Amino acid sequence: MRGYSLLLHLLLLASQAAAQLQCQSFAQIYDNGTELCENMWGDAFKVVDNISEAYTMWFFDDQNPNAPISQRLHPTGNTSTCNLQYLHKTLPTAEGDDFTECHPWKEASCCSSNTANVTNLLNGYGPGYRWDRCGTLSQACERFFVQEACFYECSPHIGLYRRYGGHACDPASGQCTNVHNASNPGHNTWEVFKMPIRRDYCDAWWTACRNDMFCSNSGGNYFACALIPTTPNVTTPPPEVITNETTEEKEVLAPGLIALVVILGILLVAVAGFLCIVYRREKSGNPIFTPLKDRESKMPSQPSIAMVNGKVDV
Ligand SMILES: *[C@@H]1O[C@H](CO)[C@@H](O)[C@H](O)[C@H]1NC(C)=O
Ligand SMILES: *[C@@H]1O[C@H](CO)[C@@H](O)[C@H](O)[C@H]1NC(C)=O
Ligand SMILES: *[C@@H]1O[C@H](CO)[C@@H](O)[C@H](O)[C@H]1NC(C)=O
Ligand SMILES: *[C@@H]1O[C@H](CO)[C@@H](O)[C@H](O)[C@H]1NC(C)=O
Ligand SMILES: *[C@@H]1O[C@H](CO)[C@@H](O)[C@H](O)[C@H]1NC(C)=O
Ligand SMILES: *[C@@H]1O[C@H](CO)[C@@H](O)[C@H](O)[C@H]1NC(C)=O
């Protein structure tokens, strides 16, 4: 019985963990690269077909191909400063020879070499933001997460799309502001809003990752996934983030429910049997429950108690 309840407990824990972080392949989560880029990062990116009006998250050229894009789309935007602030430097400056991970930005980088380090890019935002929460990614796939992290931390162009205080914001949308109000607690300095990204870049990301596993909660939204605790809390159940139960969860829970119903059923039968015996013994003038002083003289009739025990043991 002890072993079985431990098993039940483990099953329950496993089902909780599965309900919290719903791991699926990229191809199951996102239909294409557009869905990947537009769902994974909330409202940060939008996918654009015209490569003359969209940014890339990586490049090999001596010249940053994003510079002419900003020039075309935002001629008065200032890319000599690092508008975003998370782990960013204030100004985009050249980095030294230890700057290898995010090498495209070496000559004008908003990230320091300490930030631009794959270990720190993976761990820098807290345990919920690790990209390997559903298992180690293939190298082909992980490359794109490193590229996105480098682009976010190092590019002087992404800051034009800051949600609160971004040059690119169209205030008519009502979803972003051109001016950052420091006394408004809703205005952060790190969020990006609808930066146009090349479709071919997003499609390549999807192709590289299609068989890897990722968190599918809220359509594969990194920020929603980050709210789900890393390890199930054994002593207190973690907050329920997912409201709609999955079918897997129901299937795993079923054996536990069946066991509970069976145990309750056995107890009911036992209690009914016991009451029945009590009733019959009362009727036959040989009651089980008699005042203590009478009881000693009736000791020989005790076997009836053993019979009741025998029933409970079924
Ligand atoms: C990507 O998938 C979505 C959802 O199925 C679809 O609406 C959209 O047209 C697709 N986009 C491209 C470029 O194929
Ligand atoms: C792509 O963008 C460029 C620059 O804004 C524009 O001149 C060109 O007409 C666009 N091409 C298409 C097919 O819309
Ligand atoms: C861009 O920002 C930098 C740093 O704040 C500043 O020194 C420079 O004057 C600005 N350039 C323009 C054109 O506003
Ligand atoms: C990244 O940074 C960590 C901690 O600062 C350090 O231990 C590690 O050696 C660095 N990795 C690389 C590849 O520089
Ligand atoms: C900035 O935010 C504070 C707090 O929400 C508000 O009282 C104030 O009016 C805002 N200032 C501007 C210029 O919008
Ligand atoms: C587990 O629950 C306790 C009490 O609510 C909380 O303090 C702790 O942070 C939780 N641990 C995790 C890993 O969520």
Side-chain angles (χ1 to χ4, degrees):
M1 195 61 199
R2 221 188 148 75
Y4 183 59
S5 71
L6 180 67
L7 184 72
L8 254 182
H9 187 62
L10 288 177
L11 274 175
L12 278 169
L13 279 182
S15 75
Q16 275 175 11
Q20 281 152 17
L21 200 62
Q22 294 166 359
C23 295
Q24 288 188 314
S25 75
F26 278 73
Q28 284 174 304
I29 303 169
Y30 313 107
D31 277 348
N32 48 44
T34 301
E35 283 213 333
L36 187 156
C37 280
E38 293 186 350
N39 291 5
M40 185 183 284
W41 305 101
D43 288 330
F45 304 119
K46 69 172 183 193
V47 172
V48 165
D49 275 325
N50 189 337
I51 61 169
S52 303
E53 296 183 336
Y55 294 87
T56 177
M57 296 194 188
W58 198 254
F59 54 93
F60 297 100
D61 316 66
D62 282 345
Q63 299 297 314
N64 185 337
N66 289 331
I69 305 296
S70 284
Q71 200 83 112
R72 183 173 300 121
L73 298 178
H74 309 291
T76 60
N78 190 349
T79 53
S80 301
T81 183
C82 297
N83 302 289
L84 285 181
Q85 286 304 319
Y86 195 76
L87 304 173
H88 303 71
K89 305 190 299 196
T90 313
L91 299 173
T93 53
E95 284 290 324
D97 290 341
D98 60 344
F99 192 83
T100 54
E101 193 69 55
C102 300
H103 55 84
W105 291 276
K106 185 170 183 291
E107 300 309 321
S109 170
C110 286
C111 61
S112 66
S113 56
N114 186 49
T115 300
N117 161 325
V118 69
T119 314
N120 297 341
L121 289 174
L122 176 60
N123 296 303
Y125 309 93
Y129 287 94
R130 288 178 62 106
W131 53 70
D132 59 357
R133 294 185 70 195
C134 286
T136 307
L137 298 179
S138 67
Q139 288 196 19
C141 180
E142 185 179 52
R143 257 326 62 209
F144 283 86
F145 284 88
V146 174
Q147 292 178 5
E148 191 279 340
C150 286
F151 178 63
Y152 175 74
E153 290 294 342
C154 313
S155 171
H157 297 277
I158 191 170
L160 294 174
Y161 289 84
R162 207 169 108 167
R163 188 167 200 151
Y164 303 104
H167 179 91
C169 171
D170 173 11
S173 73
Q175 294 184 284
C176 57
T177 61
N178 292 122
V179 181
H180 177 249
N181 178 354
S183 43
N184 185 337
H187 283 199
N188 62 53
T189 59
W190 57 267
E191 203 172 344
V192 176
F193 186 69
K194 301 256 189 249
M195 184 180 202
I197 304 295
R198 290 171 59 141
R199 181 149 76 93
D200 58 355
Y201 184 86
C202 294
D203 286 345
W205 190 340
W206 188 88
T207 304
C209 290
R210 65 171 302 158
N211 299 321
D212 284 280
M213 302 299 282
F214 198 63
C215 167
S216 74
N217 304 57
S218 300
N221 180 313
Y222 217 110
F223 304 105
C225 290
L227 297 176
I228 297 164
T230 337
T231 46
N233 205 332
V234 179
T235 42
T236 41
E240 194 63 49
V241 178
I242 309 301
T243 46
N244 54 329
E245 275 187 338
T246 64
T247 47
E248 294 106 284
E249 188 185 22
K250 278 182 188 137
E251 273 159 27
V252 179
L253 275 173
L257 283 175
I258 291 166
L260 194 66
V261 169
V262 168
I263 289 165
L264 283 175
I266 290 171
L267 279 176
L268 257 172
V269 168
V271 168
F274 180 71
L275 289 176
C276 195
I277 288 162
V278 169
Y279 178 69
R280 270 166 47 190
R281 289 271 297 270
E282 291 280 355
K283 259 195 121 171
S284 64
N286 186 17
I288 290 174
F289 299 110
T290 50
L292 256 179
K293 61 180 166 68
D294 293 342
R295 192 154 184 134
E296 248 129 55
S297 62
K298 293 194 192 282
M299 274 307 241
S301 63
Q302 279 296 59
S304 61
I305 298 286
M307 211 179 96
V308 171
N309 284 339
K311 252 201 145 77
V312 173
D313 282 345
V314 166

